[in-house]
Structures are given as C-alpha cells and as structure tokens.
C-alpha cells in the first residue's frame, strides 16, 4: 500500500488526553489520512499507523532495531502488502546539536536526508524552556522546521512545528512532486522523526 493523492499541507495534531504519544494526520480539507500511536512501555520504539482514530485497520508499523535509540534505525513496514519500504537512521553525534537523519530504501540505499533548519531554535527552545512561567510559552515563538532533500540535492518536503501551547501541532508541505512509493517512505520517516524530536523537547 502507498499513500497517494494526498492534499497538502498535512496537519499532525498530538492528543493531550492520552499518556501515549498519539497524533492524528489530516489533509488541508480536514479529511483523515491516518492515526499514529506509539506503544507505551516498550524498550524499543514500536509505532503503529492506523486508518483513523477507531484503530480498526493497521496500515503501517515502524520498529526500532535496538533498545537505545542514540544510533538506532527504524524499519518502515507496510502491513497491508507485507513489505518493507526502507528505514530511517538517526545520525548519532550530529543529532545532538541539529537533528539529522538518513532515509534509506528497501535495498538500504540512501534516498533522502532530513535536516533541522536551525540549530539555534533548538538551543533557545531548550534554554528558555527551563525558565519559570516564560518556559511555558516557548511553543508559541520557538518552533523548529525540517527540510527533506533528495540525493539530487533538491528540497522535497518541509515540516514545521506550528505555534501552540503544548507543542502539539506540526504541518507538512510537499515542495515538488515525487513518486508515490518514495512519498510513502518519506512520510513514514517523518512520522517517526516527529515522535523522536518532540520527545527531545
């Protein structure tokens, strides 16, 4: 199964009424695209992508390859057609200062990179976030963005954290057209990255 005919921008909206990291994905018309749920109390990250919030149909599954996620990679699997799209790999030490990930296809060939646009936004978000009272409002004015580029150097997608009190909204826009299967590979990678980066603050 591939994600296709999507009406961008897509909105990722985290739920604040559950302990788990759950979020809805809707398109620009408010139509459901998917519901993402990260399983709780797992030593390895385990994420299931459902058709909607009813969780009646599992579409994709994302699983970490090791317990400690510092250099972990995450396999991206299609549960409908029982196939592997590829994996998302975090770039270890470089991710401490500015988030950086590689997206590889099912043959483990590099296809795309995800890069945080500004390390300073992360720095000030972490610094100001520790301040009493003021730190509660960083979600309104310190919002990172991420760009997905191909091995051809072109920018294909832009993901932005949107102003919100709990840092619960992200918006994904496609900048240029892309093959359906590669689009699914990128979107699944961005779902996992969003969970990881939101957990880091």
């Amino acid at each position: 199964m591939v994600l296709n005919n999507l009406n961008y921008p897509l909105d990722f909206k985290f739920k604040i009424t559950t302990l788990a990291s759950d979020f809805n994905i809707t398109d620009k018309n408010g139509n459901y695209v998917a519901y993402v749920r990260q399983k709780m109390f797992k030593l390895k990250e385990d994420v299931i992508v459902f058709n909607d919030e009813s969780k009646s149909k599992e579409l994709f599954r994302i699983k970490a390859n090791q317990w400690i996620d510092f250099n972990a990679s995450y396999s991206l699997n299609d549960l409908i057609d029982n196939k592997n799209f590829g994996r998302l790999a975090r770039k270890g030490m470089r991710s401490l200062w500015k988030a950086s990930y590689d997206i590889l296809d099912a043959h483990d060939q590099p296809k795309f990179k995800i890069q945080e646009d500004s390390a300073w936004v992360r720095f000030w978000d972490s610094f100001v976030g520790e301040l009493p009272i003021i730190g509660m409002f960083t979600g309104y004015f310190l919002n990172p963005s991420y760009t997905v580029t191909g091995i051809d150097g072109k920018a294909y997608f832009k993901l932005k954290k949107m102003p919100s009190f709990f840092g619960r909204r992200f918006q994904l826009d496609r900048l240029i057209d892309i093959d359906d299967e590669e689009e699914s590979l990128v979107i699944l990678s961005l779902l996992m990255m969003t969970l990881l980066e939101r957990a880091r603050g």
Side-chain angles (χ1 to χ4, degrees):
M1 173 183 174
V2 293
L3 296 166
N4 55 14
N5 300 318
L6 298 173
N7 292 313
Y8 290 89
L10 303 182
D11 280 313
F12 300 179
K13 191 172 182 181
F14 280 83
K15 298 185 72 177
I16 57 173
T17 55
T18 62
L19 292 174
S21 292
D22 295 13
F23 64 93
N24 292 301
I25 304 175
T26 54
D27 67 13
K28 70 175 184 179
N29 300 316
N31 298 316
Y32 245 114
V33 174
Y35 179 72
V36 181
R37 182 176 182 83
Q38 185 171 25
K39 288 193 169 186
M40 296 178 64
F41 312 120
K42 290 282 187 179
L43 290 173
K44 296 181 182 182
E45 280 97 347
D46 190 359
V47 176
I48 300 176
V49 182
F50 297 92
N51 58 322
D52 58 33
E53 203 168 339
S54 71
K55 295 180 284 188
S56 59
K57 188 176 184 180
E58 295 183 5
L59 306 179
F60 305 100
R61 191 159 195 171
I62 305 169
K63 297 188 77 171
N65 68 346
Q66 62 188 48
W67 290 358
I68 301 171
D69 74 353
F70 188 66
N71 275 317
S73 66
Y74 305 85
S75 62
L76 312 166
N77 301 296
D78 176 350
L79 298 178
I80 303 298
D81 295 328
N82 194 28
K83 63 181 280 190
N84 174 255
F85 275 110
R87 64 187 178 96
L88 172 71
R90 176 184 274 169
K91 286 191 166 181
M93 289 298 294
R94 273 185 279 183
S95 289
L96 285 176
W97 177 237
K98 189 164 80 166
S100 182
Y101 296 82
D102 287 328
I103 301 175
L104 301 98
D105 67 15
H107 305 291
D108 229 27
Q109 296 301 306
K111 299 294 288 186
F112 302 93
K113 291 182 182 295
I114 308 173
Q115 294 253 327
E116 189 170 2
D117 294 327
S118 172
W120 288 108
V121 172
R122 176 187 295 278
F123 172 79
W124 287 113
D125 189 23
S126 298
F127 178 75
V128 178
E130 297 300 317
L131 300 176
I133 311 296
I134 297 172
M136 296 172 61
F137 299 97
T138 59
Y140 280 109
F141 57 90
L142 290 171
N143 294 298
S145 61
Y146 308 84
T147 301
V148 179
T149 54
I151 54 174
D152 56 8
K154 295 178 182 176
Y156 283 84
F157 291 85
K158 177 80 76 174
L159 178 71
K160 298 177 183 176
K161 185 166 174 262
M162 307 302 286
S164 64
F165 187 73
F166 290 103
R168 60 192 293 241
R169 287 191 61 235
F170 291 77
Q171 191 172 85
L172 175 63
D173 219 340
R174 186 177 64 194
L175 306 178
I176 53 179
D177 284 341
I178 187 173
D179 172 81
D180 286 345
E181 189 152 328
E182 291 188 341
E183 183 175 22
S184 297
L185 172 65
V186 171
I187 291 175
L188 290 172
S189 297
L190 287 169
L191 300 186
M192 189 67 232
M193 188 216 72
T194 300
L195 287 166
L196 293 169
E197 293 302 309
R198 188 171 185 264
R200 291 173 69 187

